[in-house]
Amino acid sequence: MNVWDWNFAGQIIPALLNGLRITLIATVLGSLIAFVLGLVLAILGRGPRPVRIVVRAIVEFIRSTPLLVQVYFLFFVLPAFGVVLPALTVGVLALGVHYATYTSEVYRAGIDAVPRGQWEAATALSLPRTRVWTGVVLPQAIPRVLPALGNYVISMFKETPLLIGIGVLDIVGQVREVGGQSFRYVEAYTLAGLLFLLLSYPASLAVRRLERRRAVR
Amino acid sequence: MDNLGTFLSVLSQGLPFTIIATVAGILLTIVLSFVAGLALMSSSKTVRVISRIYVEGLRGTSEVVQLFWIFFALPVLVGFQIVPIWAGILVLGLNHGAYGAEIVRGAVQSVPRAQVEGAIALSMTPAQRMRRVILPQAVVEMLPSFNNLFIQLLKSTALLSFVSINEITRQAQQVLVPRFNPQAFQIFLLLLVMYLIMSLVITAIMRTLERVAAARVGRKPSARSRSQATGAGIA
Amino acid sequence: MPSVEKSGADPMIAFDGVEKRFGDNVVLSELSFTVAPGEHVCLIGPSGSGKTTILRLLMTLEKCDAGTITVGGTSLSHMEKNGKLVPADEKHVRDVRKRIGMVFQQFNLFPNMTVRGNLVEAPTRVLGLSKDEADARAKELLDLVGLGDRIDSHPTQLSGGQQQRVAIARALAMRPDVLLLDEVTSALDPELVAGVLKLLSDIGSSTDITFLCVTHEMGFARDFSDRVMMFDGGRVIEDAAPEKLFTAPEHERTQAFLHAVVDR
Ligand SMILES: Nc1ncnc2c1ncn2[C@@H]1O[C@H](COP(=O)(O)OP(=O)(O)OP(=O)(O)O)[C@@H](O)[C@H]1O
Ligand SMILES: [Mg+2]
């Protein structure tokens, strides 16, 4: 038996692409949650002291524990509360919440980097609080943090395969099935790895370009 | 909560695997980070290219894929199966070492040029300059980022449950949940708390090291916290 | 010690047709001068005229684009191998460097070592002195610079003036033939300047080290040096004994420069 069978490699391609579709869906939806929830956490993190402490504790807890366990947690615990969701939805939720704790730190750094004078100027104009955020602070903070957010999207993309733990058929889930049927793992996992590299390496080069163009912090 | 004792004892059976994988993974990560990080700055182009391929290759492919590759593809290529826990440690170390290499490179390059020139003016060899002057100062810069990286590594040990290593996540998911399904909430909460405690231990150790290292270069402990180091984009 | 006396000996430092460019910016061109053994030479001139660059070339922190530089008769850029002149390797450069010490404007002490560590590091590792020898030398030098009681301090616990004294001691610990000083007092608070300059004068008069100093302290240049070289636009425009250069400068650029400096 040859170590590498081109014929078989060719047969895997459709499964890979099928899995890629799921992986991309999970990444895009997960990122959306992470972007929005992270911003909420970052803004709450600047709220009154009790809120700040609770938010920080939650963020630390989620950041310090494995995403896989959080995925299991949601998958096995939600039904007990009568919430039965498809595995992919659970996965997206877990990815989004987990990465929101990372993005909240990114936003926090970006917000901290907005000069104090900007807040003071906005206050001097008696702008309402929400307008200070949406009109003055965030438009300055968010462009600065785009590269860091981009890096987390790439990280999330590479972490979606752990959703196979709850039966989501992403790239790895697909090739695991195909490889398992014929006991040909070399082609399956090598191609899966190359597919990840093919997408994430150019993406991280693009982020680095963006990083160099905008001075981050 | 009457089953708490059972939960604890079943999870504890997995603890040695989690701890061994974490500690050995961290040690391998440190070695690879320094070797690859210094190689990234080598004067030899070949060495630079090889280390760059290692770093980008391991950062660019998914850790789960790397794990399956070493468990299922590598044995076909080399003709034998590595002891699972060793293979697990190898993946953890190789993967996080690639991230650590960039930490080492960044920290070494952040040491002011004037320090190097001070050492040149004393006729030190390039190796002496690196070992005696640059690295001791760079290590102070690296520690907060390494703290993050080690916690990422601890979290990654949960992936070893995919390849039948009986660490704590697998104990919970394969042993406890099938038996006590209605109590999944308690089981996973307990599991999460165990991880939290281990990452607090890592942070406590790293903070102590940061203080010691900062004192050795005559600085107050750095204000840069672990979370800020993450904000800079290490994931 | 007037320079005339020494002109018969081989020079300690010799620049011959040296050119240095940074990109398109020609910083030094066709620069030639010599410094005799034991001579004290000060370089003065406006900012950006290339004074630091000269010291950095000597310390091999920069490479020159044309011409040759020799220290004690040994070329910095070339060495003899099987009777042929070949580009210098790292070891050759290091051997020349051992004869040269340098004190920087910003001190450049190693923060990861104590004062003692800073002083014994290179003597033990580069010169191969035993720990005890290096330690004795460190103590002796720290006494000389007036910091005998600070041997176990961290550089960051010292004032700027004290750090600069340690840096001077560190350079002397290598027993250099040549000492390069680049504006060693310009990062110091005004009240600390005099003490450091006094220390340098004492060292100058009690050793036979060859000094090449860049300074903006005209009083120091006048008292300390045997010769002063005025730089402008990458060339020496006036080279004379301090008595002459400071009282009756020939070149009008020198006059203008001295005016500007004294008026400050
Ligand atoms: N590393 C470098 N890269 C590019 N240009 C440089 C570099 N170092 C020095 N230069 C340029 O070389 C010229 C001479 O610099 P140098 O530092 O030798 O001047 P200087 O006489 O010591 O001035 P100062 O009195 O301000 O210290 C300047 O125009 C400077 O901009
Ligand atoms: Mg200068």
Side-chain angles (χ1 to χ4, degrees):
Chain A
M1 183 163 128
N2 273 335
V3 168
W4 185 272
D5 178 347
W6 281 108
N7 231 334
F8 181 70
Q11 285 165 26
I12 305 177
I13 304 282
L16 268 178
L17 295 180
N18 249 333
L20 177 62
R21 197 172 53 90
I22 301 294
T23 300
L24 289 179
I25 290 175
T27 308
V28 169
L29 297 181
S31 300
L32 287 180
I33 295 178
F35 290 167
V36 175
L37 184 58
L39 186 57
V40 172
L41 290 173
I43 294 174
L44 287 178
R46 298 178 67 94
R49 206 177 141 77
V51 178
R52 205 162 62 211
I53 290 173
V54 171
V55 168
R56 281 220 61 81
I58 294 172
V59 167
E60 272 305 309
F61 184 70
I62 297 177
R63 275 161 51 89
S64 304
T65 52
L67 174 57
L68 178 61
V69 179
Q70 291 160 11
V71 169
Y72 286 144
F73 184 88
L74 289 183
F75 189 72
F76 289 104
V77 172
L78 283 182
F81 293 93
V83 187
V84 180
L85 298 172
L88 181 58
T89 312
V90 170
V92 165
L93 279 178
L95 283 169
V97 171
H98 191 85
Y99 274 80
T101 63
Y102 297 149
T103 57
S104 76
E105 295 293 343
V106 170
Y107 286 121
R108 192 173 66 106
I111 294 167
D112 285 346
V114 174
R116 258 172 60 101
Q118 293 293 308
W119 292 90
E120 289 166 359
T123 317
L125 292 171
S126 324
L127 289 181
R129 195 87 188 128
T130 40
R131 186 65 201 143
V132 177
W133 277 107
T134 57
V136 179
V137 176
L138 294 182
Q140 296 184 54
I142 290 181
R144 263 186 251 255
V145 301
L146 283 179
L149 293 181
N151 275 328
Y152 281 125
V153 173
I154 299 170
S155 296
M156 187 190 291
F157 169 66
K158 289 178 294 188
E159 250 191 309
T160 49
L162 56 74
L163 299 186
I164 58 171
I166 54 170
V168 172
L169 289 180
D170 77 322
I171 296 175
V172 178
Q174 290 278 0
V175 298
R176 190 158 71 149
E177 287 210 330
V178 183
Q181 282 156 12
S182 47
F183 301 101
R184 297 208 61 102
Y185 296 108
V186 178
E187 295 88 347
Y189 291 123
T190 307
L191 288 179
L194 285 177
L195 183 56
F196 274 101
L197 189 64
L198 199 68
L199 291 166
S200 70
Y201 185 57
S204 60
L205 287 184
V207 169
R208 269 176 244 174
R209 283 245 317 258
L210 190 65
E211 223 160 32
R212 241 173 287 140
R213 262 196 284 144
R214 296 172 206 274
V216 197
R217 299 207 294 156
Chain B
M1 271 274 133
D2 42 342
N3 288 321
L4 188 65
T6 319
F7 296 167
L8 264 178
S9 82
V10 172
L11 289 182
S12 303
Q13 286 164 26
L15 214 45
F17 286 104
T18 299
I19 292 176
I20 289 172
T22 306
V23 172
I26 285 177
L27 293 179
L28 184 56
T29 296
I30 294 173
V31 172
L32 289 174
S33 300
F34 277 87
V35 171
L38 295 177
L40 284 175
M41 295 173 289
S42 162
S43 52
S44 146
K45 176 141 193 207
T46 319
V47 173
R48 279 203 311 272
V49 168
I50 292 172
S51 50
R52 194 33 78 195
I53 290 173
Y54 160 64
V55 168
E56 299 300 348
L58 275 114
R59 294 200 310 177
T61 52
S62 169
E63 195 175 5
V64 177
V65 178
Q66 291 158 16
L67 190 67
F68 286 151
W69 198 90
I70 290 209
F71 268 81
F72 300 109
L74 189 65
V76 178
L77 298 177
V78 298
F80 62 89
Q81 177 93 45
I82 313 176
V83 182
I85 188 74
W86 287 113
I89 291 167
L90 188 63
V91 172
L92 291 170
L94 282 171
N95 183 281
H96 293 86
Y99 288 93
E102 287 291 358
I103 296 176
V104 169
R105 187 179 66 99
V108 164
Q109 289 180 342
S110 78
V111 173
R113 174 83 194 141
Q115 287 294 315
V116 183
E117 297 189 345
I120 293 177
L122 293 169
S123 308
M124 292 187 186
T125 64
Q128 288 170 336
R129 305 199 287 255
M130 184 55 83
R131 267 212 1 260
R132 305 285 308 172
V133 176
I134 302 173
L135 279 181
Q137 297 181 49
V139 165
V140 186
E141 295 297 316
M142 296 175 200
L143 287 172
S145 303
F146 268 121
N147 186 7
N148 264 305
L149 188 66
F150 296 161
I151 287 175
Q152 293 290 345
L153 187 145
L154 164 70
K155 288 156 62 178
S156 289
T157 60
L159 301 179
L160 302 185
S161 63
F162 288 151
V163 287
S164 310
I165 294 174
N166 291 317
E167 45 67 71
I168 55 179
T169 300
R170 189 175 173 88
Q171 290 292 98
Q173 191 246 351
Q174 296 275 322
V175 182
L176 289 177
V177 171
R179 265 167 63 198
F180 303 93
N181 199 311
Q183 284 169 289
F185 179 82
Q186 285 93 324
I187 295 168
F188 283 117
L189 193 63
L190 191 62
L191 181 61
L192 287 170
V193 168
M194 287 174 89
Y195 279 108
L196 178 67
I197 292 172
M198 285 187 277
S199 59
L200 289 177
V201 170
I202 293 177
T203 299
I205 294 172
M206 295 302 285
R207 285 278 161 80
T208 310
L209 290 179
E210 272 175 54
R211 259 199 308 280
V212 172
R216 288 193 52 179
V217 297
R219 263 198 247 159
K220 304 228 159 39
S222 101
R224 223 155 59 105
S225 73
R226 175 164 98 70
S227 44
Q228 273 170 316
T230 307
I234 295 125
Chain C
M1 31 178 131
S3 57
V4 199
E5 258 178 35
K6 310 244 164 150
S7 60
D10 278 341
M12 181 56 95
I13 299 172
F15 274 57
D16 186 13
V18 170
E19 176 172 309
K20 175 68 193 169
R21 275 172 278 143
F22 290 107
D24 291 338
N25 180 8
V26 181
V27 178
L28 304 174
S29 63
E30 286 294 314
L31 177 67
S32 302
F33 67 86
T34 59
V35 178
E39 202 177 12
H40 299 176
V41 173
C42 280
L43 303 180
I44 62 170
S47 184
S49 55
K51 307 180 297 291
T52 296
T53 305
I54 289 173
L55 301 194
R56 292 175 58 84
L57 282 168
L58 271 166
M59 196 70 255
T60 59
L61 296 172
E62 306 280 359
K63 270 207 183 93
C64 58
D65 297 306
T68 52
I69 302 173
T70 58
V71 170
T74 314
S75 163
L76 294 187
S77 52
H78 290 81
M79 60 181 189
E80 218 166 296
K81 199 170 174 187
N82 309 329
K84 271 190 291 187
L85 218 54
V86 296
D89 61 12
E90 169 74 24
K91 176 156 187 324
H92 173 90
V93 171
R94 247 192 342 265
D95 285 338
V96 191
R97 270 183 205 146
K98 280 184 200 164
R99 307 187 58 179
I100 311 171
M102 182 160 182
V103 183
F104 300 84
Q105 193 174 342
Q106 297 293 341
F107 335 132
N108 300 7
L109 293 178
F110 303 135
N112 55 313
M113 301 174 192
T114 59
V115 167
R116 184 199 304 270
N118 270 279
L119 262 68
V120 302
E121 178 71 19
T124 51
R125 284 170 197 273
V126 176
L127 302 181
L129 257 59
S130 76
K131 254 190 133 81
D132 291 340
E133 286 170 307
D135 219 54
R137 195 183 277 192
K139 287 202 180 98
E140 184 187 316
L141 285 166
L142 283 175
D143 284 334
L144 173 75
V145 301
L147 289 171
D149 54 336
R150 305 307 297 267
I151 190 161
D152 289 314
S153 301
H154 257 290
T156 46
Q157 296 166 335
L158 304 178
S159 73
Q162 291 170 328
Q163 290 189 47
Q164 194 58 295
R165 287 159 185 271
V166 174
I168 291 167
R170 181 174 77 172
L172 290 175
M174 297 296 283
R175 301 267 156 94
D177 297 325
V178 176
L179 198 53
L180 309 175
L181 309 173
D182 189 7
E183 297 188 35
V184 295
T185 57
S186 58
L188 301 182
D189 290 339
E191 71 271 22
L192 301 174
V193 170
V196 171
L197 293 181
K198 167 86 171 50
L199 171 65
L200 289 173
S201 298
D202 293 347
I203 296 168
S205 54
S206 61
T207 63
D208 53 9
I209 296 176
T210 307
F211 277 84
L212 192 59
C213 343
V214 173
T215 185
H216 284 150
E217 302 287 336
M218 293 305 144
F220 173 74
R222 179 196 296 252
D223 299 340
F224 181 73
S225 48
D226 304 313
R227 232 169 85 209
V228 178
M229 287 200 263
M230 166 74 195
F231 260 83
D232 196 21
R235 18 182 114 243
V236 184
I237 59 170
E238 196 158 350
D239 178 350
E243 305 80 39
K244 163 121 201 326
L245 192 130
F246 285 114
T247 48
E250 267 170 23
H251 208 283
E252 63 185 81
R253 285 290 298 143
T254 316
Q255 293 164 8
F257 175 74
L258 289 175
H259 251 288
V261 177
V262 172
D263 283 351
R264 260 197 319 209

Short mmCIF file of all heavy atoms in Angstrom, two decimals, chain A residues 130-167:
data_model
loop_
_atom_site.label_atom_id
_atom_site.label_comp_id
_atom_site.label_asym_id
_atom_site.label_seq_id
_atom_site.Cartn_x
_atom_site.Cartn_y
_atom_site.Cartn_z
N THR A 130 -24.06 58.37 25.11
CA THR A 130 -24.05 57.44 23.98
C THR A 130 -23.36 58.05 22.77
O THR A 130 -22.66 57.38 22.02
CB THR A 130 -25.47 57.03 23.56
OG1 THR A 130 -26.30 58.20 23.62
CG2 THR A 130 -26.01 55.96 24.47
N ARG A 131 -23.57 59.36 22.62
CA ARG A 131 -22.98 60.03 21.46
C ARG A 131 -21.46 60.13 21.62
O ARG A 131 -20.71 60.06 20.64
CB ARG A 131 -23.60 61.43 21.33
CG ARG A 131 -23.20 62.21 20.08
CD ARG A 131 -23.71 61.54 18.80
NE ARG A 131 -22.92 61.99 17.66
CZ ARG A 131 -22.57 61.22 16.63
NH1 ARG A 131 -22.96 59.96 16.59
NH2 ARG A 131 -21.86 61.71 15.65
N VAL A 132 -21.00 60.28 22.86
CA VAL A 132 -19.55 60.30 23.10
C VAL A 132 -18.95 58.98 22.61
O VAL A 132 -17.94 58.95 21.92
CB VAL A 132 -19.25 60.50 24.60
CG1 VAL A 132 -17.74 60.45 24.85
CG2 VAL A 132 -19.80 61.83 25.07
N TRP A 133 -19.64 57.88 22.96
CA TRP A 133 -19.14 56.57 22.53
C TRP A 133 -19.21 56.43 21.01
O TRP A 133 -18.22 56.12 20.36
CB TRP A 133 -19.97 55.45 23.18
CG TRP A 133 -19.52 55.12 24.57
CD1 TRP A 133 -20.14 55.43 25.74
CD2 TRP A 133 -18.33 54.42 24.94
NE1 TRP A 133 -19.42 54.97 26.81
CE2 TRP A 133 -18.30 54.35 26.35
CE3 TRP A 133 -17.28 53.85 24.22
CZ2 TRP A 133 -17.28 53.72 27.05
CZ3 TRP A 133 -16.26 53.23 24.92
CH2 TRP A 133 -16.27 53.18 26.32
N THR A 134 -20.42 56.63 20.45
CA THR A 134 -20.60 56.30 19.04
C THR A 134 -19.99 57.36 18.13
O THR A 134 -19.59 57.05 17.02
CB THR A 134 -22.10 56.16 18.69
OG1 THR A 134 -22.75 57.40 19.04
CG2 THR A 134 -22.73 55.02 19.46
N GLY A 135 -19.94 58.60 18.60
CA GLY A 135 -19.47 59.66 17.71
C GLY A 135 -18.00 59.98 17.87
O GLY A 135 -17.36 60.45 16.92
N VAL A 136 -17.44 59.75 19.06
CA VAL A 136 -16.07 60.21 19.31
C VAL A 136 -15.10 59.06 19.61
O VAL A 136 -14.10 58.87 18.92
CB VAL A 136 -16.04 61.23 20.48
CG1 VAL A 136 -14.62 61.69 20.74
CG2 VAL A 136 -16.95 62.41 20.18
N VAL A 137 -15.44 58.25 20.61
CA VAL A 137 -14.48 57.27 21.10
C VAL A 137 -14.34 56.07 20.15
O VAL A 137 -13.24 55.77 19.67
CB VAL A 137 -14.85 56.80 22.52
CG1 VAL A 137 -13.89 55.71 22.97
CG2 VAL A 137 -14.79 57.99 23.47
N LEU A 138 -15.47 55.42 19.86
CA LEU A 138 -15.38 54.20 19.05
C LEU A 138 -14.83 54.45 17.65
O LEU A 138 -14.02 53.66 17.17
CB LEU A 138 -16.74 53.49 19.01
CG LEU A 138 -17.17 52.94 20.37
CD1 LEU A 138 -18.50 52.20 20.26
CD2 LEU A 138 -16.11 52.01 20.95
N PRO A 139 -15.23 55.54 16.97
CA PRO A 139 -14.66 55.75 15.63
C PRO A 139 -13.15 55.89 15.66
O PRO A 139 -12.48 55.65 14.67
CB PRO A 139 -15.32 57.07 15.18
CG PRO A 139 -16.57 57.17 15.96
CD PRO A 139 -16.28 56.52 17.28
N GLN A 140 -12.59 56.30 16.81
CA GLN A 140 -11.13 56.38 16.90
C GLN A 140 -10.53 55.06 17.35
O GLN A 140 -9.44 54.69 16.94
CB GLN A 140 -10.72 57.47 17.89
CG GLN A 140 -11.15 58.85 17.44
CD GLN A 140 -10.63 59.91 18.40
OE1 GLN A 140 -9.45 59.99 18.68
NE2 GLN A 140 -11.53 60.74 18.89
N ALA A 141 -11.26 54.36 18.24
CA ALA A 141 -10.69 53.14 18.82
C ALA A 141 -10.74 51.97 17.84
O ALA A 141 -9.78 51.21 17.73
CB ALA A 141 -11.44 52.78 20.11
N ILE A 142 -11.85 51.82 17.13
CA ILE A 142 -12.04 50.59 16.36
C ILE A 142 -11.05 50.43 15.20
O ILE A 142 -10.48 49.35 15.03
CB ILE A 142 -13.52 50.45 15.93
CG1 ILE A 142 -14.33 50.15 17.19
CG2 ILE A 142 -13.69 49.33 14.90
CD1 ILE A 142 -15.80 49.96 16.98
N PRO A 143 -10.80 51.48 14.41
CA PRO A 143 -9.82 51.28 13.34
C PRO A 143 -8.47 50.79 13.87
O PRO A 143 -7.82 49.95 13.26
CB PRO A 143 -9.68 52.68 12.73
CG PRO A 143 -10.94 53.37 13.07
CD PRO A 143 -11.38 52.82 14.39
N ARG A 144 -8.08 51.27 15.05
CA ARG A 144 -6.82 50.87 15.65
C ARG A 144 -6.77 49.38 15.96
O ARG A 144 -5.70 48.79 15.95
CB ARG A 144 -6.66 51.59 16.98
CG ARG A 144 -5.84 52.82 16.95
CD ARG A 144 -5.69 53.26 18.38
NE ARG A 144 -6.46 54.46 18.62
CZ ARG A 144 -5.90 55.66 18.74
NH1 ARG A 144 -4.60 55.78 18.67
NH2 ARG A 144 -6.64 56.72 18.92
N VAL A 145 -7.93 48.81 16.33
CA VAL A 145 -7.90 47.44 16.81
C VAL A 145 -8.23 46.42 15.71
O VAL A 145 -8.20 45.22 15.96
CB VAL A 145 -8.86 47.23 18.01
CG1 VAL A 145 -8.48 48.16 19.15
CG2 VAL A 145 -10.30 47.43 17.61
N LEU A 146 -8.52 46.91 14.51
CA LEU A 146 -8.89 45.97 13.45
C LEU A 146 -7.87 44.86 13.24
O LEU A 146 -8.25 43.69 13.11
CB LEU A 146 -9.17 46.73 12.14
CG LEU A 146 -10.52 47.44 12.10
CD1 LEU A 146 -10.70 48.18 10.77
CD2 LEU A 146 -11.67 46.47 12.32
N PRO A 147 -6.56 45.17 13.18
CA PRO A 147 -5.62 44.06 12.98
C PRO A 147 -5.70 43.01 14.08
O PRO A 147 -5.69 41.81 13.78
CB PRO A 147 -4.25 44.75 13.00
CG PRO A 147 -4.52 46.18 12.69
CD PRO A 147 -5.89 46.46 13.23
N ALA A 148 -5.82 43.45 15.32
CA ALA A 148 -5.88 42.48 16.42
C ALA A 148 -7.15 41.64 16.31
O ALA A 148 -7.13 40.43 16.52
CB ALA A 148 -5.83 43.20 17.76
N LEU A 149 -8.26 42.28 15.93
CA LEU A 149 -9.50 41.52 15.74
C LEU A 149 -9.32 40.51 14.61
O LEU A 149 -9.75 39.36 14.70
CB LEU A 149 -10.67 42.46 15.42
CG LEU A 149 -11.13 43.40 16.54
CD1 LEU A 149 -12.32 44.24 16.07
CD2 LEU A 149 -11.50 42.63 17.80
N GLY A 150 -8.65 40.95 13.55
CA GLY A 150 -8.39 40.06 12.42
C GLY A 150 -7.62 38.82 12.86
O GLY A 150 -7.94 37.70 12.46
N ASN A 151 -6.62 39.04 13.72
CA ASN A 151 -5.85 37.90 14.21
C ASN A 151 -6.72 36.91 14.96
O ASN A 151 -6.53 35.70 14.86
CB ASN A 151 -4.73 38.39 15.14
CG ASN A 151 -3.50 38.79 14.34
OD1 ASN A 151 -3.23 38.21 13.30
ND2 ASN A 151 -2.78 39.76 14.84
N TYR A 152 -7.69 37.44 15.71
CA TYR A 152 -8.55 36.53 16.46
C TYR A 152 -9.50 35.78 15.53
O TYR A 152 -9.85 34.63 15.82
CB TYR A 152 -9.30 37.28 17.55
CG TYR A 152 -8.42 37.52 18.76
CD1 TYR A 152 -8.21 38.78 19.27
CD2 TYR A 152 -7.78 36.45 19.36
CE1 TYR A 152 -7.39 38.98 20.36
CE2 TYR A 152 -6.95 36.63 20.45
CZ TYR A 152 -6.76 37.90 20.95
OH TYR A 152 -5.94 38.09 22.02
N VAL A 153 -9.93 36.40 14.44
CA VAL A 153 -10.76 35.67 13.48
C VAL A 153 -9.96 34.48 12.93
O VAL A 153 -10.47 33.35 12.83
CB VAL A 153 -11.21 36.59 12.33
CG1 VAL A 153 -11.93 35.78 11.26
CG2 VAL A 153 -12.12 37.69 12.86
N ILE A 154 -8.69 34.72 12.62
CA ILE A 154 -7.86 33.64 12.10
C ILE A 154 -7.69 32.54 13.16
O ILE A 154 -7.77 31.35 12.85
CB ILE A 154 -6.50 34.19 11.65
CG1 ILE A 154 -6.70 35.23 10.53
CG2 ILE A 154 -5.60 33.08 11.16
CD1 ILE A 154 -5.45 36.01 10.19
N SER A 155 -7.47 32.96 14.40
CA SER A 155 -7.34 31.96 15.47
C SER A 155 -8.61 31.13 15.60
O SER A 155 -8.56 29.92 15.75
CB SER A 155 -7.10 32.63 16.82
OG SER A 155 -5.89 33.30 16.81
N MET A 156 -9.74 31.81 15.51
CA MET A 156 -11.01 31.10 15.65
C MET A 156 -11.18 30.10 14.52
O MET A 156 -11.58 28.95 14.74
CB MET A 156 -12.18 32.10 15.66
CG MET A 156 -13.52 31.45 15.97
SD MET A 156 -14.92 32.52 15.71
CE MET A 156 -14.74 33.71 17.01
N PHE A 157 -10.84 30.53 13.32
CA PHE A 157 -10.92 29.65 12.15
C PHE A 157 -10.16 28.35 12.42
O PHE A 157 -10.65 27.25 12.15
CB PHE A 157 -10.34 30.41 10.95
CG PHE A 157 -10.11 29.58 9.72
CD1 PHE A 157 -11.18 29.02 9.03
CD2 PHE A 157 -8.82 29.38 9.25
CE1 PHE A 157 -10.96 28.27 7.90
CE2 PHE A 157 -8.60 28.63 8.11
CZ PHE A 157 -9.68 28.07 7.44
N LYS A 158 -8.96 28.50 13.00
CA LYS A 158 -8.15 27.30 13.24
C LYS A 158 -8.64 26.50 14.44
O LYS A 158 -8.26 25.35 14.61
CB LYS A 158 -6.68 27.72 13.47
CG LYS A 158 -6.03 28.21 12.18
CD LYS A 158 -4.62 28.66 12.41
CE LYS A 158 -4.56 29.89 13.28
NZ LYS A 158 -3.19 30.46 13.38
N GLU A 159 -9.50 27.10 15.25
CA GLU A 159 -9.99 26.37 16.42
C GLU A 159 -11.34 25.71 16.19
O GLU A 159 -11.77 24.90 17.02
CB GLU A 159 -10.04 27.30 17.65
CG GLU A 159 -8.98 26.93 18.68
CD GLU A 159 -9.16 27.63 20.01
OE1 GLU A 159 -9.29 28.86 20.04
OE2 GLU A 159 -9.15 26.93 21.03
N THR A 160 -12.02 26.04 15.08
CA THR A 160 -13.33 25.42 14.86
C THR A 160 -13.30 23.89 14.86
O THR A 160 -14.31 23.29 15.22
CB THR A 160 -14.00 25.89 13.55
OG1 THR A 160 -13.05 25.78 12.50
CG2 THR A 160 -14.50 27.31 13.66
N PRO A 161 -12.20 23.25 14.44
CA PRO A 161 -12.24 21.78 14.40
C PRO A 161 -12.59 21.14 15.73
O PRO A 161 -13.02 19.99 15.76
CB PRO A 161 -10.82 21.38 13.98
CG PRO A 161 -10.32 22.54 13.23
CD PRO A 161 -10.92 23.74 13.87
N LEU A 162 -12.44 21.86 16.85
CA LEU A 162 -12.77 21.16 18.08
C LEU A 162 -14.27 20.95 18.22
O LEU A 162 -14.73 20.21 19.10
CB LEU A 162 -12.15 21.84 19.32
CG LEU A 162 -12.40 23.29 19.64
CD1 LEU A 162 -13.80 23.48 20.18
CD2 LEU A 162 -11.39 23.73 20.68
N LEU A 163 -15.06 21.54 17.29
CA LEU A 163 -16.50 21.28 17.32
C LEU A 163 -16.82 19.84 16.92
O LEU A 163 -17.96 19.40 17.09
CB LEU A 163 -17.25 22.26 16.41
CG LEU A 163 -17.10 23.75 16.78
CD1 LEU A 163 -18.00 24.59 15.90
CD2 LEU A 163 -17.44 23.98 18.25
N ILE A 164 -15.82 19.09 16.40
CA ILE A 164 -16.09 17.67 16.13
C ILE A 164 -16.47 16.97 17.42
O ILE A 164 -17.13 15.94 17.39
CB ILE A 164 -14.89 16.94 15.49
CG1 ILE A 164 -13.66 17.04 16.38
CG2 ILE A 164 -14.60 17.46 14.09
CD1 ILE A 164 -12.51 16.17 15.93
N GLY A 165 -16.08 17.53 18.56
CA GLY A 165 -16.43 16.95 19.86
C GLY A 165 -17.93 16.81 20.04
O GLY A 165 -18.40 15.93 20.77
N ILE A 166 -18.71 17.69 19.40
CA ILE A 166 -20.17 17.57 19.50
C ILE A 166 -20.78 17.21 18.15
O ILE A 166 -21.94 17.46 17.88
CB ILE A 166 -20.82 18.86 20.05
CG1 ILE A 166 -20.40 20.09 19.24
CG2 ILE A 166 -20.44 19.06 21.52
CD1 ILE A 166 -21.19 21.35 19.57
N GLY A 167 -19.95 16.60 17.29
CA GLY A 167 -20.47 16.02 16.05
C GLY A 167 -20.65 16.97 14.89
O GLY A 167 -21.31 16.63 13.91
#
